[in-house]
Amino acid sequence: MVSTLFPEYVRIPEKIEVKPIELEASKTALIIVDMQNAFVHERGRLFVPESRKTIEPIRKLLERARSKNVTVVYTQDWHQKDDPEFNIWGEHAVAGTWEAEVIDELKPLDKDVLIKKLRYDGFYGTYLDDVLRMKKIEYTIITGTVANICVLHTAGSAAIRGYRVIVPVDCISALSDFDYFSTLRQISFLYKGILTTHEKITFL
Ligand code: ZN
C-alpha cells in the first residue's frame, strides 16, 4: 500500500494578504525570472501553463518600471548539454537555443541586465549581487516562474543578502496550487517578503 505523506488537512497556516507598496525607483530592481520559451511557450519542454496568465501583469509592471528608470534584470536558465539538473527535469533551456530565449512578449532591451544562470538561484555563480550593489539597490521585485523553484530560490537568496523582497502574486506561477501557495507562505513568513500585486506597486 502506498502511504501519502501529506494528510488532507494540511492547510497554509496563515491568512496571506496583499498590500500596496511605494518604492523609490532608483533603489529598486525588477527581476524577471526565467520567462523563457522553455517554461512559458507551449512548445517549451517544461511548459508551465499558469505562466501564460502572468505575461500581461509582468508586461504592465515592466512598462511602468521602465518609465521610471527602475533597474530591470532578467534571469535565464542557461544549461550546458550535460547539466546534472537534467537528471531531474530532462533536457531544457540549453545555452543559445530557442528555449533559452526570453519570450517575445517580454523582450529585454539593450540596457537591461541579463543574468544567465546554471542553477535555480539567480545569484549563485552569477554577478547579480555585484550589479545590484553597484546600483545601490535595496528593493527587489521578484516575478516570473517557476514560483517554488527559481523564483523562491532567487527571492531567498536576495533576502539572505539583505535586499527587501517584494513579490506581486499575479506575476509568479507554478505547476500546482500547493507549490504556488506554499511559495507565498515561504516568502512572507521566512523571508519577510512583501506580497502585493502588479497594480499595487507605485514607483516614486
Ligand atoms: Zn533548469
Side-chain angles (χ1 to χ4, degrees), residues 164-176:
R164 285 307 304 269
V165 169
I166 296 102
V167 173
V169 299
D170 51 354
C171 295
I172 68 169
S173 53
L175 287 162
S176 74

Side-chain angles (χ1 to χ4, degrees), residues 17-80:
E17 290 174 346
V18 294
K19 294 181 191 144
I21 183 160
E22 295 183 338
L23 297 168
E24 217 173 305
S26 64
K27 293 181 179 172
T28 303
L30 171 60
I31 302 180
I32 300 174
V33 175
D34 297 11
M35 289 296 281
Q36 299 162 266
N37 290 321
F39 309 106
V40 187
H41 195 287
E42 56 193 12
R43 283 194 285 114
R45 282 176 286 185
L46 291 181
F47 180 47
V48 178
E50 289 293 306
S51 71
R52 302 296 305 172
K53 295 178 192 162
T54 67
I55 297 172
E56 202 46 25
I58 294 174
R59 202 190 56 73
K60 285 181 179 158
L61 185 60
L62 180 59
E63 206 169 273
R64 287 199 294 116
R66 288 196 196 290
S67 74
K68 297 280 187 178
N69 281 321
V70 168
T71 296
V72 174
V73 177
Y74 288 82
T75 71
Q76 285 168 279
D77 228 16
W78 198 261
H79 293 298
Q80 298 306 304

Side-chain angles (χ1 to χ4, degrees), residues 96-146:
T97 63
W98 170 81
E99 271 198 341
E101 285 172 24
V102 173
I103 56 164
D104 287 342
E105 296 92 324
L106 298 173
K107 273 267 170 276
L109 301 182
D110 286 345
K111 64 173 182 172
D112 297 335
V113 179
L114 269 65
I115 299 289
K116 294 175 169 46
K117 65 180 183 54
L118 286 168
R119 300 289 167 254
Y120 302 149
D121 173 1
F123 288 86
Y124 183 86
T126 73
Y127 51 82
L128 178 53
D129 191 43
D130 278 338
V131 174
L132 299 181
R133 287 197 194 286
M134 276 191 298
K135 290 176 175 284
K136 301 194 165 35
I137 297 298
E138 293 178 22
Y139 307 102
T140 54
I141 303 172
I142 303 185
T143 64
T145 205
V146 181

